[in-house]
Amino acid sequence: MSARSRAARRDTGGESATAGAAAFLPARRSLAALRKAAQDCRGCALHARATQAVFGEGRRGARIMLVGEQPGDDEDHEGRPFVGPAGRVLDAALRAAGIDRADCYVSNTVKHFKWQPRGKRRMHSKPNAAEQRACRPWLDAELEQIRPELLVCLGATAAQALLGRGVRVTVDHGRALPSALAKHAIATIHPSSVLRQPDADARERARRQLTDDLRAAAALLRG
Ligand code: URA
Ligand code: SF4
């Protein structure tokens, strides 16, 4: 294939470019082996414009698994999930809810940063259904390794991918939702939606909602 047709395939995100991550998973399943193998994933077109894959992070024995959408600009550079502005919102909300991030495994629905240029900035662009599907084997492998007691979906992308297409975060947030993936599952707003609110009052309300939902999640664990 010529370089030009390869580039064209990347641009269109054509069928062959979203064949999926399954072929890139290592035979030996451990978090370390998975994390390493994800760096070589070519399961969809997103790897081409990202710096690196951002794999999940946390203890193998974590009881809580948090899943966001996809890495952002800072995460793409650092190679770690939720370390940018949204991560700071999440950290503060976790603290306020009495959850230690060190007790959590934190990951994303999609492992490579999808972006579009706006001036000099790289703006987040939502991964489409094919990209989410392509990347799912990594998330399934993480779930299999962690087997969390509590699954927290941060935002609609993770909630709909993991808890069902019918989940509406605006309606269903903060309460136990049925899931085969964990004993307890809950959805809440995405931390970055706090930052997108139009004014300080709205930001504060969103922040409180996120914290309240995380508190409800922690209460499920306590039983
Ligand atoms: N937003 C996400 O969904 N995940 C990250 O890791 C960072 C920002
Ligand atoms: Fe592979 Fe997921 Fe990256 Fe696509 S986004 S290349 S499926 S790791």
Side-chain angles (χ1 to χ4, degrees):
M1 203 194 311
S2 71
R4 194 197 287 166
S5 59
R6 261 199 304 274
R9 279 196 186 195
R10 272 207 298 274
D11 289 349
T12 55
E15 198 50 42
S16 70
T18 49
F24 299 90
L25 263 70
R28 202 177 86 76
R29 299 289 169 85
S30 70
L31 284 175
L34 288 163
R35 174 177 293 108
K36 187 163 178 286
Q39 291 307 332
D40 297 323
C41 185
R42 303 290 179 264
C44 78
L46 295 185
H47 69 87
R49 298 174 67 232
T51 308
Q52 57 191 319
V54 177
F55 206 68
E57 187 178 80
R59 285 195 302 119
R60 192 171 188 285
R63 295 171 74 198
I64 308 173
M65 181 158 159
L66 305 165
V67 182
E69 184 185 79
Q70 61 163 350
D73 186 70
D74 291 319
E75 289 79 13
D76 173 77
H77 287 304
E78 281 199 39
R80 299 176 55 209
F82 282 105
V83 291
R88 285 189 282 281
V89 171
L90 176 63
D91 286 347
L94 284 170
R95 253 195 316 276
I99 299 173
D100 189 347
R101 180 161 167 173
D103 291 335
C104 301
Y105 184 86
V106 182
S107 194
N108 282 301
T109 310
V110 165
K111 307 301 193 233
H112 277 105
F113 179 37
K114 182 178 183 182
W115 57 276
Q116 55 194 21
R118 189 177 302 161
K120 284 189 178 163
R121 297 179 59 197
R122 301 189 301 170
M123 297 304 291
H124 160 274
S125 163
K126 185 178 150 73
N128 63 35
E131 289 153 352
Q132 291 178 40
R133 216 178 312 119
C135 210
R136 182 60 184 259
W138 294 117
L139 190 55
D140 284 339
E142 290 176 292
L143 280 160
E144 204 178 281
Q145 290 297 310
I146 303 297
R147 293 180 186 276
E149 243 174 280
L150 168 65
L151 176 62
V152 181
C153 294
L154 303 167
T157 300
Q160 290 175 358
L162 290 173
L163 303 178
R165 293 283 143 211
V167 173
R168 292 288 168 268
V169 169
T170 44
V171 180
D172 300 316
H173 71 94
R175 61 182 178 87
L177 297 171
S179 171
L181 301 172
K183 185 170 169 200
H184 306 289
I186 212 165
T188 185
I189 57 170
H190 195 287
S192 67
S193 76
V194 171
L195 301 168
R196 281 198 305 270
Q197 298 301 313
D199 57 55
D201 279 356
R203 271 195 298 281
E204 198 38 49
R205 275 196 302 278
R207 221 184 282 280
R208 198 168 317 134
Q209 187 182 110
L210 176 63
T211 304
D212 287 349
D213 289 351
L214 291 173
R215 219 175 260 133
L220 287 176
L221 260 194
R222 285 192 300 271

